[in-house]
Every structure is written in structure tokens, then in C-alpha cells.
Amino acid sequence: MAKGESVAGTDIPPGGFVQLLTPDGERVDSVTTADGTTYSVDFTDEEYRELYRDLVTVRRLDTEAVALQRQGELGIWASLLGQEAAQVGSGRALRPQDMAFPTYREHGVLYCRGIDPIMPFGLFRGVDQGGWDANEFKFNQYTIVIGSQTLHATGYAMGVTMDGKTGSSDGEAVIAYFGDGATSQGEVNEAFVWSGVFNSPIVFFCQNNQYAISEPLERQTRVPLYQRAGGYGFPGIRVDGNDVLATYAVTRAALDNARNGQGPTLVEAYTYRMGAHTSSDDPTRYRIASEVESWKAKDPISRLRAFLTKQKVAKKDFFLEVDEEANKKALDLRKRVLAMPDPEPVALFDHVYPNGSPEIDAQRDAFTRYQASFEGSGH
């Protein structure tokens, strides 16, 4: 359990973080940081069980996605294995009016926002560009360019302020997701500058999974990432990213501060990427097996299951039921992915502009004629 501060310029001891659930499943009632902020959760037994259901489900769907890619059904996949608590905890901390800006790995947050989990598969299968309604679900499209979503989120947050939607408990807040490697990108630092100066209602949520593809954290920074916030004039805090309860508590507090007009917060969720960076990556080339094994002992699902069992909040039948439900959802997802139709080549011109464009129409016509020139030619 961490003992430290959530204000800029003060130190949390190396390796420390806010933790409400130990790797052994022991519950910590609350953590009070040096600035007087107390983090805790007050969930019902059913809410604890639903958090467990979320964790298991998003992991099972992710596992199915990895299998689909290995079988040639997806072009690429970015797995969330090991980061379920960071995503579910923060995703469930969002209020309906809050807006989220993801990277390409936030499948758990997407699930928590009520989006059909099939949606990102169109992107990774090459069928479409994603396709969910960002305004309806308050969840932006996946962003492949590293760090650029933090600028999008900052601009959106500035707009929230301009619209007068902050300053009360029912105000709006924004969250921007990114990884530890993205903190070395210029866009992220520019977002920090603008958000700090304009006191934007935004939470920068960094999933520090220890590796920027193959580069370890020590190649990215000489100080804990959350401490960088101090240089931009807003608070930073580190949370155990494998603890779904602590992640929820810290994210909810940061979002509420933002919506009440208290400006940005940098949350560093200290977690670990158990799998590859993407399906094109081989992590055995840059990290050792013993390191992976040590993090397995901190698994987010195992610790919540241990807690539920110790507190007699759930029994064996519940865990079997959750596994069965997750398997059904995964198999249904597989069928739906395989049934996705291949897009017509000419469809790439659709939806470029909301009201069409003479230039796009001309390009579409030229492309259609070019395609037709091959008909019956044997090519």
C-alpha cells in the first residue's frame, strides 16, 4: 500500500501507490495521502461480483481476439492481458456524461461504455474504421497514432469549459488514455501544457505497463511518471493498476475534481502488459520469463476472486457461471467476426465527408471505371 501524496511536487516512495486490494485478496478500507485525500470504495456485494464479471469477460474476449489474429482472421490485435483492472476500474468510474479518448488497446473501457464488443474488430479485420457513434457512447474512435488522442481530449475538455459544463457535481469531465511510452511524445506534453494553463476538466490516465513496445520504463523517464504532472502545474498520483478497486476510487476522485472545476490530474496506473505489445511483437526478445512470472502473482482477476472467496461474497457456482457466460460471449463474437462481409473496394470513398464532395465523387467515378476495365480480362 502506498503512502504518498496526490499533489504536484511531493514524492510517493519509489514503487508506492494507492492500493485497496492486495495481491492476496486482502481488503484495505481506505488510503489517505499526505495532502489529506482519502481513497476508498463502498460497493455492495452485487457490485463486487459485477466488477469480477467485467474483468473475466473482457479478458475472455481479448483471448478470443488473439486466437482470431493467429488464425489469420484479423490483421493485427493489441491485447489488454494484464491491464483489465486498470481499464475496468477507470471505465466504471466514468459517469454517463463523461467523454473518453482511447488508444487502440482500451477494449475494456469500450465494454464498460456499453459498446458492442464487435465494433473494434471491423477495424482490425480491415472491414471498417470502427464505426460506433462517439457522441452516443461518449467514447471516441480508437487512435493508432501514439499520443495524438491527448490533444483531441484536451481540445474537447476546453470546449466543455467554454460551454459552461463544469463547476458542479453533475458537470462533465474528460479522460484521455495512453501508455508509458506515449509520455515521450510531443503531443502528450503539449496536451499537458494546454490543459494545465487552461485548467481543463481532464484526467490523463497513463497505463504504465512497463514497456513502450520493447523499450523498458527506465528508457522513458528518470522519475516516476506521475511526478511529471508537477512541472505542468497539476497533481499526479500513482495507483496500483492491477487493483480494480483502487483504480476506480482514484479515477472517480480525479474525474469529480475535474468536473467541479479543479482542473487536470495525471493518474499513473502501475500495471503490466502480460502479452505482446501487439500480435506483431515478440516480447521474449526483450524481457525475461521470471519478470512475467512475478507479475502473474499480482494478477487483477485472481486477487479479486480471492477477496470474493474470503469474504464469502461469491461461491464456486458464481465463478463457474461467469466463466460459462464469458465463453458464450467469446464464441458468439467469433461467429460474428467470421461472418463480417468483405467490403467493396469502392466503399473507401464513403463517409469521407458528411455531405459529400465533388472531388470525392470524381475520384469514386474514376476508380469505378478503372475497376470495370479489368472485367472479363482474366486479370
Side-chain angles (χ1 to χ4, degrees), residues 59 80-83 272-276 283 287 292-293 295-296 299:
R59 175 173 291 187
L80 58 67
L81 183 63
Q83 298 176 220
Y272 193 78
R273 166 169 55 80
M274 294 300 296
R287 65 187 191 190
V292 180
E293 289 301 315
W295 276 91
K296 282 184 179 180
D299 184 82

Side-chain angles (χ1 to χ4, degrees), residues 93-156:
L94 290 163
R95 299 190 190 275
Q97 69 269 29
D98 296 336
M99 184 69 181
F101 287 81
T103 67
Y104 44 77
R105 199 188 302 275
E106 273 68 62
H107 321 307
V109 185
L110 177 143
Y111 180 83
C112 290
R113 293 309 267 172
I115 300 173
D116 187 338
I118 190 69
M119 297 307 291
F121 285 81
L123 173 65
F124 291 110
R125 191 171 166 85
V127 172
D128 55 45
Q129 299 297 320
W132 59 87
D133 187 331
N135 290 321
E136 177 186 355
F137 295 102
K138 307 294 284 186
F139 186 84
N140 199 45
Q141 300 298 313
Y142 276 10
T143 303
I144 306 299
V145 179
I146 303 299
S148 63
Q149 73 280 0
T150 59
L151 284 176
H152 307 156
T154 296
Y156 189 99

Side-chain angles (χ1 to χ4, degrees), residues 153-184:
T154 296
Y156 189 99
M158 291 171 65
V160 168
T161 300
M162 293 175 185
D163 288 342
K165 296 180 178 178
T166 60
S168 66
S169 59
D170 60 352
E172 294 185 17
V174 178
I175 189 168
Y177 290 91
F178 54 97
D180 48 291
T183 62
S184 296

